[in-house]
Amino acid sequence: MKRQLTLFAALATVMGTMIGGGAFFKIASVSALTHNAWLSILVWPLAGFITLMAGLSVAELAAIFPEDGGPVKYLQEIYGPKIAFLFGWSLIIIYYPANIAALSIVFATQLKQIPSFSNFSTTGVALVVMATILLVNWLGSKLSSEVQKLALIIKLLPIAAIIIFAVFSGSPNQLASAPLPHLNSANGAAFGQALLAVLFAYDGWLSIGNLAGEIKNPAKTLSRAITWGVFGVTIIYTLLNWGYLRITPWSKIVGNQGAALLTAQRLFGNFGGLIISIGILVSVFGAINGHLMVGSRMPYTLGKQNKLPAANFFAKLNRKTIVPTNSMLFECAIAAIMIFSGTFDSLTDMLVYVSWIFSILLFVGVFVLRQKEPELMRPYKVPLFPWPPILAIIGALFIVINTTLTQPVLSVIGILLTLTGWPVYLWVEKK
């Protein structure tokens, strides 16, 4: 595949994939878990800090191995092919399909908030929007990249509007009467669950490594796109959720999937709320596009390396558009099953849980690689080393342990689905 993606395209993919449904809908579950407005704001910069430490750490690996496969390639170089395959398998059958499915459900739910579409089937709309994005990606990576850049610009408009008007609004400040938070052992576990929920909104930055083979000057571009993308999204998310809680009464925020739309209506009226709602739809559309764009490269890469059953099927590129259409179809097929069987929050919690288990190995891998191969060329080094990877490991361990204790069923399902890759790996190796 051609190297035609610039720094702006990479940055747009990072931010565009991250900013999606979580920006507008996770405040519902977060508020229901924390039971406190200030904690519902605090969890966003905290999750952003953990993600930034993770991004600073993994950016060093991305600069060392600017090749197709992204994080799977990093794990393979550090720990060998078995662990790398299990991570790749989890991305193929859990992470990317669950993202596509969850965001398609969000798109359908948001569309039904518009009166003209209120009677539409949620499942039907979710399947249609997924098929539309599949068509966009089928027509080539250049088009899907342009859609991603345009979606990023459009999606920032409703976010900027809510933040700016919330700052200067003459409406009563709902946070003025909000009680101060008190974290203790009783509500600490719930805060951990809220942190897990919020990390879905920050998810997606790691996948930019999948496009390394299509990015110009990937050694420098990847690290810059990851670092600045995560930093920018952290600021945006914190201000946006402050805006929700500044304008809308707490009682109408808790557990309300339409909190973003309600805030927009209070700021701009019904017509303004409709315009903001359309902007939210574009935001979610762009996030789905980003996940399919980067997600389809994972089965393609493993197929190209003969590491999957029916490897030739996954490794095949479309003759006209030079994109892995078979891999796209496979990811969308799994996502379609998830659309019928899952819900937004359960799907997102599972994919975040599994991805952070492997992320711990990536953070530890920075230390391992520096010890094993100190002479390796490093176009980018983690600033303030060793603190960013240490803090990323601590944050990731907290997320994984807390989720295992508070959501054991979800944790077991995620781990078992990942382990189904083990017999697949043995079978492929035997052949």
Side-chain angles (χ1 to χ4, degrees):
M1 291 187 277
K2 297 179 180 178
R3 291 194 182 275
Q4 56 186 345
L5 303 182
T6 62
L7 173 60
F8 181 65
L11 185 63
T13 301
V14 171
M15 297 185 71
T17 305
M18 291 173 72
I19 301 174
F24 304 104
F25 298 98
K26 276 300 180 181
I27 186 63
S29 57
V30 169
S31 57
L33 286 165
T34 62
H35 304 292
N36 182 274
W38 290 108
L39 285 180
S40 296
I41 296 175
L42 176 64
V43 73
W44 291 90
L46 177 59
F49 176 76
I50 293 172
T51 306
L52 183 60
M53 295 300 100
L56 290 172
S57 304
V58 174
E60 179 171 313
L61 302 178
I64 297 172
F65 308 113
E67 305 165 34
D68 288 342
V72 174
K73 173 67 176 177
Y74 316 153
L75 288 178
Q76 181 177 325
E77 294 290 338
I78 300 169
Y79 302 107
K82 295 178 183 178
I83 291 177
F85 179 83
L86 283 179
F87 186 34
W89 181 257
S90 73
L91 294 175
I92 290 171
I93 67 165
I94 301 175
Y95 182 84
Y96 292 119
N99 262 306
I100 294 167
L103 290 170
S104 297
I105 292 170
V106 162
F107 185 98
T109 304
Q110 179 64 23
L111 185 67
K112 291 182 68 174
Q113 298 291 326
I114 300 174
S116 302
F117 300 94
S118 59
N119 294 326
F120 279 47
S121 163
T122 300
T123 302
V125 173
L127 292 172
V128 169
V129 71
M130 184 180 70
T132 303
I133 292 170
L134 173 61
L135 177 61
V136 169
N137 281 267
W138 196 292
L139 295 175
S141 60
K142 189 170 184 179
L143 176 60
S144 56
S145 175
E146 292 300 318
V147 168
Q148 196 68 8
K149 288 188 281 188
L150 181 62
L152 175 62
I153 294 170
I154 294 175
K155 76 172 60 179
L156 290 177
L157 294 178
I159 291 174
I162 291 174
I163 292 172
I164 292 170
F165 279 81
V167 170
F168 296 104
S169 173
S171 302
N173 183 356
Q174 303 295 332
L175 285 168
S177 58
L180 294 176
H182 296 285
L183 267 179
N184 50 47
S185 57
N187 59 19
F191 185 78
Q193 288 180 266
L195 185 63
L196 176 73
V198 166
L199 282 167
F200 166 73
Y202 283 96
D203 206 50
W205 60 272
L206 186 58
S207 299
I208 186 62
N210 295 1
L211 298 176
E214 301 168 67
I215 293 175
K216 296 178 180 178
N217 192 13
K220 291 184 178 180
T221 301
L222 283 172
S223 58
R224 291 173 182 173
I226 291 171
T227 303
W228 289 108
V230 172
F231 181 72
V233 169
T234 300
I235 295 173
I236 289 169
Y237 279 167
T238 303
L239 291 175
L240 180 63
N241 284 272
W242 171 85
Y244 296 151
L245 294 162
R246 157 80 168 77
I247 298 299
T248 307
W250 174 251
S251 61
K252 295 183 178 181
I253 290 281
V254 179
N256 182 9
Q257 291 280 0
L261 178 60
L262 183 60
T263 302
Q265 289 173 337
R266 292 174 69 89
L267 286 171
F268 312 111
N270 288 334
F271 179 74
L274 176 62
I275 299 300
I276 296 297
S277 185
I278 293 171
I280 293 172
L281 288 172
V282 173
S283 172
V284 178
F285 187 93
I288 304 170
N289 179 70
H291 281 295
L292 181 57
M293 183 181 177
V294 297
S296 60
R297 271 57 175 180
M298 184 53 60
Y300 162 74
T301 300
L302 292 181
K304 193 170 64 172
Q305 297 171 354
N306 287 315
K307 293 182 179 178
L308 285 177
N312 291 335
F313 173 83
F314 292 108
K316 188 176 181 180
L317 293 174
N318 186 289
R319 291 182 180 180
K320 293 183 178 179
T321 57
I322 320 299
V323 292
T325 47
N326 288 347
S327 294
M328 291 178 189
L329 286 170
F330 183 75
E331 293 298 288
C332 286
I334 299 177
I337 296 171
M338 290 181 170
I339 287 172
F340 281 105
S341 61
T343 62
F344 175 62
D345 286 322
S346 62
L347 288 171
T348 55
D349 284 353
M350 190 195 324
L351 70 90
V352 170
Y353 173 74
V354 173
S355 66
W356 277 90
I357 290 175
F358 286 99
S359 292
I360 294 172
L361 296 177
L362 289 171
F363 309 146
V364 173
V366 177
F367 294 98
V368 173
L369 210 57
R370 287 207 179 191
Q371 183 68 30
K372 286 172 56 179
E373 301 186 55
E375 303 302 322
L376 201 62
M377 180 68 71
R378 290 173 170 81
Y380 163 90
K381 288 187 175 182
V382 180
L384 303 177
F385 184 83
W387 291 111
I390 289 176
L391 293 171
I393 291 169
I394 293 171
L397 284 172
F398 172 76
I399 295 159
V400 171
I401 294 171
N402 185 77
T403 306
T404 304
L405 295 175
T406 58
Q407 301 184 66
V409 175
L410 177 143
S411 306
V412 169
I413 292 173
I415 291 172
L416 288 178
L417 284 174
T418 302
L419 291 178
T420 59
W422 182 246
V424 175
Y425 175 82
L426 295 177
W427 184 79
V428 172
E429 286 295 300
K430 185 178 179 180
K431 286 197 68 176

